[in-house]
Amino acid sequence: MSHHQHSQINTYLRPMLKRDFISLLPKKGLDHVAETILSYLDADSLRCAELVCREWYRVISEGMLWRKLIENKVKTDPLWKGLARRRGWIRYLFKPAPGEQHPNHLFYHRLFPNIIRDIENTESNWRGGRHNLQRINCRSESSKGVYCLQYDDQKIVSGLRDNTIKIWDRNTLECTNVLTGHTGSVLCLQFDDKVIVSGSSDATVRVWNVEGGQPVNTLIHHCEAVLHLRFNNGLMVTCSKDRSIAVWEMVSPSDITLKRVLVGHRAAVNVVDFDEKYIVSASGDRTIKIWNTSNCEFVRTLSGHKRGIACLQYRENLVVSGSSDNTIRLWDIESGTSLRVLEGHEELVRCIRFDNKRIVSGAYDGKIKVWDLAAALDPRTPNASLCLQTLIKHTGRVFRLQFDEFQIVSSSHDDTILIWDFLGPEVPINHSSQQNSSNLSSSRSCIYPDAPASNPSQSSPSRSFLNSFLTPSISRVSPSRSISMCPASRPVNSINCGYSPQDEQ
């Protein structure tokens, strides 16, 4: 084919290849196809597409593609979901409430960049240590100290040294209920949308109705203090000062039976965590042990800490542990390799949590430290740059903490619960205000277009193994249950292991 013929074909095909199919589809009654195609664009591309021509802008606006983009972010990103709840604009997404209509396209067009600004400011406040601080004084009448806690959007549930469980309203910070029944300090707890399960130095595990606080069940198996527990999807794991781990099958609040006892640690087992693959336990004997969740068989031991281990969290392939050698270690659970050692705390690291961005730790030195997780997993990062912030407000040992994308909630031997909020105040559009002398940065303000003041939304119920509540019962476990052991289970004097839980009881 000659050059001239190539040129003729090119002249003929070029206009066809430049055809604006997005503008042509609506003329064929296929508006929905054009909207679907453009809905795959990210924010920058969608912003550029609006400028192509009036027809493209019409397809984007009538298809409410900015709202759909925000809805998709909320469905797939926990940060966006949490922000939607905290700021209140989740009410403008998805199906509107009866009798209400969604705002127009321009509302969502203006909303999106302000959400991005809010996210950036929140991250900046995490790294800069800027926060609003709220304090709950537990006012224990006898022994003081808050050993454990968990929170959601409506409440904070705390376990105290004075043998009680206290429930606090998240908005007013007032105590709404006090659960009594334990005869020793409440050392650990967990709740879902139906029950609270607590463990105590009285060696019992108790189950309570989360709504009214009525006792539902009492489990008696461990012969010494129950130091930690976790439950999920019909399975519960408890650990004790008696050096054992108990695995329970949970059918209903009153139907909880012992499935297996795991023996192998040579000192008090201070903490457990698990998923569908592994049970992970840590002890005053300086080791972390891995067990198979399905058959409860021993898998491997992680060794590296120089003194007893007080806390850990396990998620996917990563284990993060804190010890009375004042360090934090990151482990690969499959290979058993210690990936990084974090140093900075001056005393025993008592509690630790992590998500996909950061690690937050609390210690006997009264300090809470925020660490960069991605940097800690990169061996090229120097140790000096791993700790982002140190928060100092507690006047006693930090016993427990929990955090999400916007806040840390911590408890201490000083008998207080502190709420560290890194999300700035919401400022309405076109509303200018003089920044007060708080410790928040002036760049903190997030402007949401025409949005009313936000209220905390209802939290989505967590998965529960429960279907109904029955009358309270006491379950005494027969000693003739199966026991799984790992090698080298000779007892060790816990006093020589660095962390001894009796110091706190």
Side-chain angles (χ1 to χ4, degrees), residues 125-243:
N125 286 321
W126 270 101
R127 291 183 171 271
R130 294 178 291 270
H131 59 272
N132 281 327
L133 188 68
Q134 293 178 294
R135 185 186 303 270
I136 298 175
N137 293 306
C138 295
R139 298 185 177 87
S140 302
E141 295 182 0
S142 53
S143 302
K144 295 185 181 297
V146 185
Y147 284 136
C148 52
L149 62 81
Q150 183 186 338
Y151 71 85
D152 61 18
D153 289 345
Q154 287 77 45
K155 62 185 174 296
I156 300 173
V157 181
S158 59
L160 280 71
R161 190 178 184 184
D162 67 4
N163 308 348
T164 66
I165 297 171
K166 290 186 177 181
I167 303 175
W168 311 85
D169 184 273
R170 279 302 306 271
N171 295 323
T172 65
L173 303 185
E174 296 294 326
C175 183
T176 59
N177 202 355
V178 179
L179 312 186
T180 59
H182 280 297
T183 57
S185 302
V186 181
L187 304 178
C188 54
L189 63 80
Q190 184 184 340
F191 71 84
D192 63 5
D193 58 320
K194 294 295 193 302
V195 295
I196 301 169
V197 182
S198 59
S200 168
S201 59
D202 64 12
T204 67
V205 175
R206 291 178 183 264
V207 184
W208 317 77
N209 184 330
V210 76
E211 293 297 330
Q214 299 88 353
V216 178
N217 199 351
T218 301
L219 307 176
I220 300 175
H221 162 69
H222 291 291
C223 57
E224 293 191 67
V226 179
L227 302 179
H228 200 255
L229 63 84
R230 298 293 295 167
F231 71 85
N232 189 35
N233 286 341
L235 191 70
M236 180 169 68
V237 181
T238 62
C239 63
S240 171
K241 186 180 171 184
D242 65 12
R243 307 187 183 104

Side-chain angles (χ1 to χ4, degrees), residues 221-228 238-246 261-272 281-285 287 289 291 483-486 488-497 499-502:
H221 162 69
H222 291 291
C223 57
E224 293 191 67
V226 179
L227 302 179
H228 200 255
T238 62
C239 63
S240 171
K241 186 180 171 184
D242 65 12
R243 307 187 183 104
S244 74
I245 301 161
V261 178
L262 312 182
V263 178
H265 282 293
R266 299 180 294 164
V269 185
N270 297 319
V271 59
V272 290
S281 59
S283 167
D285 65 8
T287 68
K289 292 190 182 296
W291 316 77
I483 298 178
S484 291
M485 300 183 65
C486 74
S489 58
R490 179 175 56 84
V492 166
N493 186 345
S494 63
I495 295 176
N496 297 325
C497 299
Y499 173 63
S500 182
Q502 66 262 28

Side-chain angles (χ1 to χ4, degrees), residues 290-478:
I290 314 299
W291 316 77
N292 187 293
T293 302
S294 59
N295 59 24
C296 296
E297 294 299 320
F298 172 74
V299 178
R300 67 179 59 89
T301 297
L302 311 183
S303 299
H305 280 295
K306 298 176 182 178
R307 303 190 72 189
I309 302 168
C311 57
L312 66 74
Q313 183 185 351
Y314 157 53
R315 182 172 136 187
E316 297 176 353
N317 287 332
L318 183 63
V319 175
V320 180
S321 60
S323 166
S324 59
D325 63 13
N326 304 350
T327 69
I328 298 164
R329 283 183 179 260
L330 283 65
W331 311 80
D332 184 318
I333 195 170
E334 296 294 346
S335 66
T337 305
S338 178
L339 304 174
R340 173 76 82 160
V341 180
L342 307 181
E343 297 178 320
H345 281 293
E346 299 165 8
E347 296 185 49
L348 179 150
V349 182
R350 181 63 178 84
C351 51
I352 199 155
R353 304 297 295 171
F354 72 90
D355 62 10
N356 57 0
K357 287 185 178 180
R358 53 185 67 92
I359 302 168
V360 182
S361 60
Y364 275 9
D365 57 15
K367 299 174 183 178
I368 294 173
K369 288 184 177 288
V370 182
W371 312 79
D372 188 323
L373 176 60
L377 292 173
D378 185 350
R380 299 168 297 179
T381 307
N383 291 335
S385 62
L386 297 179
C387 183
L388 302 176
Q389 281 298 323
T390 300
L391 308 175
I392 307 174
K393 288 295 181 180
H394 281 296
T395 58
R397 297 171 170 178
V398 180
F399 284 145
R400 193 63 56 91
L401 62 81
Q402 179 186 345
F403 78 97
D404 56 35
E405 293 84 358
F406 312 105
Q407 62 194 331
I408 301 170
V409 180
S410 59
S411 66
S412 169
H413 192 269
D414 62 16
D415 212 39
T416 66
I417 297 170
L418 298 185
I419 303 169
W420 317 70
D421 193 350
F422 298 90
L423 181 64
E426 181 180 356
V427 180
I429 193 168
N430 296 329
H431 175 72
S432 60
S433 60
Q434 184 70 25
Q435 185 77 325
N436 58 28
S437 58
S438 69
N439 57 349
L440 288 168
S441 66
S442 60
S443 64
R444 212 42 213 283
S445 302
C446 179
I447 304 170
Y448 286 124
D450 308 322
S454 63
N455 293 313
S457 63
Q458 297 291 324
S459 65
S460 59
S462 58
R463 291 178 294 178
S464 172
F465 60 91
L466 301 164
N467 294 318
S468 61
F469 286 100
L470 302 177
T471 56
S473 63
I474 297 179
S475 304
R476 293 187 178 272
V477 180
S478 168

